[in-house]
Amino acid sequence: MKRILKIVARVALVVVGIAALVLIYLVYVGTPSRSRFMTFQGFIELPKTGRLNVLDYLTLKDHTLFVTAESSGSVFRVALDPATQTTALNISTLPGGGSVHGVVLLPSQNVALVTRGEENTVDLFDPTSLQQIKRIPVAEDADAILYDPNTKLVYVANGDAHLATLIDPVTQTTVGTIALEAKPEYPALDARTGLLYQNLNDTNMVAAINLAQKSIVGKWSIAPCEGPTGMAIDSEQRRLFAVCSHNATLVVFDLEKHLVITSLKIGGGPDSVAFDATLHRIYAAGKSGKFDIVQQDGPDTYRLLDQISTHYGAHTLVVDPATHQVFVGYASLLNQPRIAVFSRITNQP
């Protein structure tokens, strides 16, 4: 009996030890691993809104970074130092309900919109004062959002509802919906054709949408992608990039031939992807805490330059096309959420 008790005690100690190590790993935020292609410039720390802080979309415009805190419903407005964009001159907060997701800034109005998935609304607010202007009811699970300059409509992907909502930002009303028949994740606009491409997470497909007609004009498989999440488009070379959360893959889709031309393995749980058209680089971030850098050598040729270790839950990013800096949003436990800022090393390809 004593022998059994000793074995049980040892097993319990091992379990407690493993749990303690996991907790330390989740709480402690170290510096990212070194890279030959990117320099880590530091962290921008955000206000802590609870024990667990999960960030979602990052939106950057004119040295101002908008960050949504999915776990608390807060939207942070971060005024960056224009000289470096590595420090925050001021951080202000728009509070709100949980499961906040995307922010879109209208080009000609001092108005921004944010999706709130639990409350099934799109909220209009002043992006300078962060005063709420109006709340628009939409279908359930309002998630990704973007503005189409051609139709002058705001597009909202409603995940659980399997549809998209269209909003006229001038009248501040919904003007239609588009049935998608699957769960949408992230959309992207093709600047050349004006079509919107929407990935469908549960069917591993991408749909082309004509917003003026409010209809789907094409739908194709993006296999071997499983569980597409983030998406970006290279309109000039007619390529679409999708990251796939279920099998840790980046796929490259030909927008003219409507087929996947290549795929690469990347870090686990990828959620966000961005394309720097000047450097021909693709950046991806995933929940496993890997930040991937992929070089586009040609429309059909891609190679993984580096994989930087960040922190578990650092799954969201945005790239500044002017400075080529990349901002990666970290989740946090018992700690302040933060944004890691990276810049390219110029003596590398």
Side-chain angles (χ1 to χ4, degrees), residues 41 46 77 122-123 137 188-189 193 238 270 298 314-315 335 337 343:
Q41 296 184 285
L46 303 174
R77 181 185 184 275
V122 172
D123 292 354
L189 284 169
T193 65
R238 314 305 300 141
H315 67 105
N335 212 329
S343 64

Side-chain angles (χ1 to χ4, degrees), residues 217-230:
V217 296
K219 191 183 294 185
W220 307 276
S221 169
I222 52 174
C225 182
E226 297 177 10
T229 48

Side-chain angles (χ1 to χ4, degrees), residues 279-332:
L279 300 182
H280 296 283
R281 281 188 184 176
I282 304 158
Y283 301 103
K287 294 177 182 178
S288 65
K290 302 299 181 184
F291 168 38
D292 293 281
I293 308 165
V294 175
Q295 186 67 42
Q296 180 192 58
D297 293 321
D300 299 339
T301 308
Y302 300 82
R303 57 192 165 100
L304 182 65
L305 289 182
D306 207 351
Q307 185 177 85
I308 300 172
S309 295
T310 53
H311 192 260
Y312 183 81
H315 67 105
T316 183
L317 59 77
V318 67
V319 62
D320 184 343
T323 65
H324 309 292
Q325 290 170 302
V326 182
F327 300 80
V328 180
Y330 278 43
S332 65

Side-chain angles (χ1 to χ4, degrees), residues 53-206:
N53 298 270
V54 179
L55 305 181
D56 205 351
Y57 294 101
L58 307 182
T59 305
L60 179 67
K61 183 180 181 182
D62 297 334
H63 309 297
T64 302
L65 182 66
F66 289 86
V67 185
T68 57
E70 182 178 359
S71 52
S72 69
S74 297
V75 179
F76 300 116
R77 181 185 184 275
V78 183
L80 300 171
D81 182 348
T84 63
Q85 293 201 136
T86 60
T87 57
L89 300 179
N90 177 266
I91 300 176
S92 48
T93 305
L94 170 67
S99 198
V100 64
H101 295 294
V103 170
V104 67
L105 305 168
L106 299 184
S108 59
Q109 304 176 46
N110 193 35
V111 175
L113 299 92
V114 59
T115 55
R116 297 193 178 276
E118 287 182 356
E119 299 182 340
N120 303 326
T121 64
V122 172
D123 292 354
L124 284 79
F125 67 95
D126 184 317
T128 302
S129 67
L130 297 187
Q131 294 297 308
Q132 184 165 312
I133 298 170
K134 185 176 181 178
R135 170 161 286 191
I136 302 174
V138 295
E140 62 181 325
D141 193 22
D143 191 351
I145 185 171
L146 60 74
Y147 174 74
D148 174 34
N150 294 319
T151 61
K152 295 181 173 54
L153 293 175
V154 172
Y155 174 96
V156 179
N158 299 94
D160 292 342
H162 291 188
L163 57 78
T165 302
L166 299 179
I167 295 173
D168 183 337
V170 176
T171 63
Q172 300 179 356
T173 59
T174 58
V175 293
T177 59
I178 301 171
L180 300 173
E181 300 177 350
K183 184 174 183 177
E185 275 283 341
Y186 197 80
L189 284 169
D190 178 11
R192 180 175 295 183
T193 65
L195 292 176
L196 179 144
Y197 286 83
Q198 173 67 69
N199 57 20
L200 303 172
N201 181 268
D202 48 356
T203 59
N204 304 324
M205 303 187 78
V206 63

